[in-house]
Amino acid sequence: MRRRLLAVAFVCVAVSVSPAAPTARALDTAEYASRRSLLMGGIGDGVAIFLGATTPESDVAFRQGHDFFYMTGVEIPDAVLVVDGMRKESVLFFTMDEKTADGMGLPVDLVRAPAKVTGIERVMPADGFNGYLAGLVRRNTPVYTLFRPEEIGPENSNEKFNALQRSMTMNDWDGRLTRELQFVKLLRERFPQVDVRDSSTLVWNLRKYKSTAELALMRDAAQLGVEGHKAFIRSTQPGVAERSLAALFEFVTALGGSRGLAYYTIIMSGKNHAYGHYHAYDRVLADGEFVILDAGPDLGNYHVDISTTFPVSGKFSARQRELYEAALVVRDAAIENYRPGITLRQVGQKMEEALKANGLERFASDFASIIRYGGYNHSIGLATHDVMGTFAGPDEVLKPGFVFACDIQLFRFDEQIGIRIEDTVAITATGREVLSAGAPRTVAEIEALMKEEGILQAIRR
């Protein structure tokens, strides 16, 4: 028993968190009210309808759809939000008793005083929505709703839509519409006089730029992710199973308050460097191998994306070091040049100059696609591959509040070497902030960290 207690104490010290998981900082009601107000400016005299996620079909925890959560902060199943541009008010429809709320871990006050807790002007029972909608459509103003699928947890709306089109809507033996498009279809059938419009672009352009409060939450998430990466790296050595390391990352981030993973932890080693999102965890690591860890937590519904690369032995071979440091030159050039007003294409030009200045022109073809987008891979926020209404590609002008993955990659599949150096970066008023700062990046930092005892080794000891 004494040994067990010592092991637990060591783990808690090693990950620098309390045994009692902290609660992610909550956004206040004014934040959500501001978002609804901005949306009203986009819909004019129209109304926008958001369908909340439905009650789970099995005994799993409820998760709210990202767009509904973005507008309300409310995590109640089967809710509906109406944002009325003409009346400049919002109405929330839901039905829940206090016992159900308490059983779901929701504040009982959410049921007792929903308007006060949510900051939404009017709250009505769920069965009042149909009559309320009938009254709205008589105004003959546009009705906006999301045409793309809701995102839940690690999902991305566009990726989900494409998958459902292939497996469901276009399937000869299925043919069902998504829930959102079924709602659009019924609106047009029951109210043929109404102009039903897609609100996805309006909402996603709001989500594209993060507020100060969102950035604070994402910074917390990134730093928790960094702790998870460090714990993973410390515990990596020949003979350790990938499955144990994947469990370790999830444990460390859960201990720090994560409600789950931003995406399934990706571990690439050996032949699996050839598969960009490998998460079977079916190998035992061997001496001389190189490992990519691509993993991030979900903290307060916000995600981050971080990748680190390191040798199983704890010491870079000459070849591993050559390739890794070439990628690091490109990564550092990107980070140094991110700032408001610059385009991704211009950042890419600086990255190209850095290769030449360091005599690394031989790697130009390896980084060509990465340089074209200035190291940018995807936006990050409520989804790891966060949605954006508009994006100008390489000519995107960076603006404060834009958060994205700077993802530098270099692969030699024939040598079973893969490199990913990925950070979550936020554009600030004066430059950039690497939210995932502290993740080991240089060869010296990685080798020093791998000399430290890992949690897995401490537990076995």
Side-chain angles (χ1 to χ4, degrees), residues 217-234:
L217 182 51
M218 293 186 71
R219 187 179 300 112
D220 290 346
Q223 288 306 302
L224 179 58
V226 168
E227 291 302 319
H229 275 255
K230 287 181 176 179
F232 186 110
I233 294 170
R234 289 189 190 99

Side-chain angles (χ1 to χ4, degrees), residues 427-460:
I427 301 301
T428 66
T430 57
R432 95 293 304 160
E433 178 185 358
V434 180
L435 300 181
S436 52
R441 291 305 181 209
T442 68
V443 168
E445 288 171 343
I446 292 168
E447 289 184 345
L449 184 63
M450 296 193 77
K451 290 178 181 178
E452 299 177 10
E453 185 175 40
I455 292 173
L456 294 182
Q457 290 72 43
I459 291 174
R460 287 170 184 156

Side-chain angles (χ1 to χ4, degrees), residues 30-321:
E31 178 93 7
Y32 299 106
S34 174
R35 296 169 181 175
R36 296 191 296 271
S37 178
L38 289 171
L39 179 64
M40 289 176 190
I43 63 175
D45 289 340
V47 295
I49 300 173
F50 294 83
L51 303 179
T54 59
T55 300
E57 297 174 357
S58 57
D59 189 19
V60 296
F62 172 76
R63 293 295 301 267
Q64 186 60 274
H66 293 160
D67 289 313
F68 191 94
F69 181 83
Y70 182 79
M71 287 294 168
T72 66
V74 173
E75 300 210 53
I76 295 175
D78 307 307
V80 177
L81 173 72
V82 175
V83 178
D84 191 331
M86 179 180 288
R87 295 174 179 168
K88 305 300 181 192
E89 70 170 7
S90 300
V91 186
L92 177 66
F93 295 86
F94 79 91
T95 296
M96 177 177 284
D97 57 42
E98 293 183 13
K99 183 177 181 180
T100 302
D102 197 39
M104 291 181 64
L106 298 173
V108 175
D109 283 347
L110 183 59
V111 176
R112 293 174 178 165
K116 179 180 179 180
V117 172
T118 66
I120 295 174
E121 294 87 345
R122 297 176 63 189
V123 181
M124 300 175 63
D127 60 10
F129 172 68
N130 288 351
Y132 188 86
L133 176 60
L136 287 177
V137 299
R138 285 197 290 269
R139 292 181 355 198
N140 201 29
T141 55
V143 173
Y144 292 82
T145 191
L146 296 164
F147 283 23
R148 290 300 175 105
E150 65 188 354
E151 302 169 330
I152 296 178
E155 295 177 341
N156 168 275
S157 185
N158 288 320
E159 294 166 4
K160 184 176 181 179
F161 176 79
N162 292 334
L164 290 175
Q165 286 293 298
R166 291 191 302 269
S167 64
M168 186 175 74
T169 305
M170 305 303 293
N171 187 318
D172 289 341
W173 297 100
D174 193 329
R176 288 171 296 160
L177 296 172
T178 63
R179 179 183 177 223
E180 291 73 20
L181 290 182
Q182 177 67 8
F183 181 63
V184 172
K185 177 175 177 288
L186 291 174
L187 279 175
R188 287 172 171 167
E189 288 176 352
R190 296 177 185 181
F191 308 105
Q193 77 279 18
V194 173
D195 178 12
V196 182
R197 301 180 184 178
D198 187 3
S199 61
S200 299
T201 297
L202 294 172
V203 176
W204 294 353
N205 275 339
L206 294 179
R207 282 177 55 178
K208 181 175 178 178
Y209 297 103
K210 277 61 180 180
S211 68
T212 300
E214 287 179 290
L215 288 176
L217 182 51
M218 293 186 71
R219 187 179 300 112
D220 290 346
Q223 288 306 302
L224 179 58
V226 168
E227 291 302 319
H229 275 255
K230 287 181 176 179
F232 186 110
I233 294 170
R234 289 189 190 99
S235 285
T236 297
Q237 59 181 226
V240 172
E242 290 179 343
R243 187 165 298 279
S244 297
L245 291 166
L248 174 63
F249 181 86
E250 188 166 2
F251 164 72
V252 169
T253 53
L255 196 63
S258 170
R259 68 183 300 175
L261 298 170
Y263 48 95
Y264 287 116
T265 295
I266 297 165
I267 302 175
M268 293 185 284
S269 65
K271 67 178 179 59
N272 298 326
H273 283 294
Y275 309 109
H277 292 82
Y278 197 82
H279 38 67
Y281 319 135
D282 54 359
R283 300 188 73 252
V284 174
L285 299 177
D287 193 18
E289 293 185 333
F290 223 35
V291 179
I292 292 174
L293 169 63
D294 185 343
D298 172 337
L299 186 68
N301 286 313
Y302 281 83
H303 297 175
V304 290
D305 198 353
I306 308 169
S307 295
T308 48
T309 307
F310 44 94
V312 172
S313 66
K315 187 76 175 176
F316 284 75
S317 70
R319 179 59 167 163
Q320 290 168 348
R321 183 176 189 134

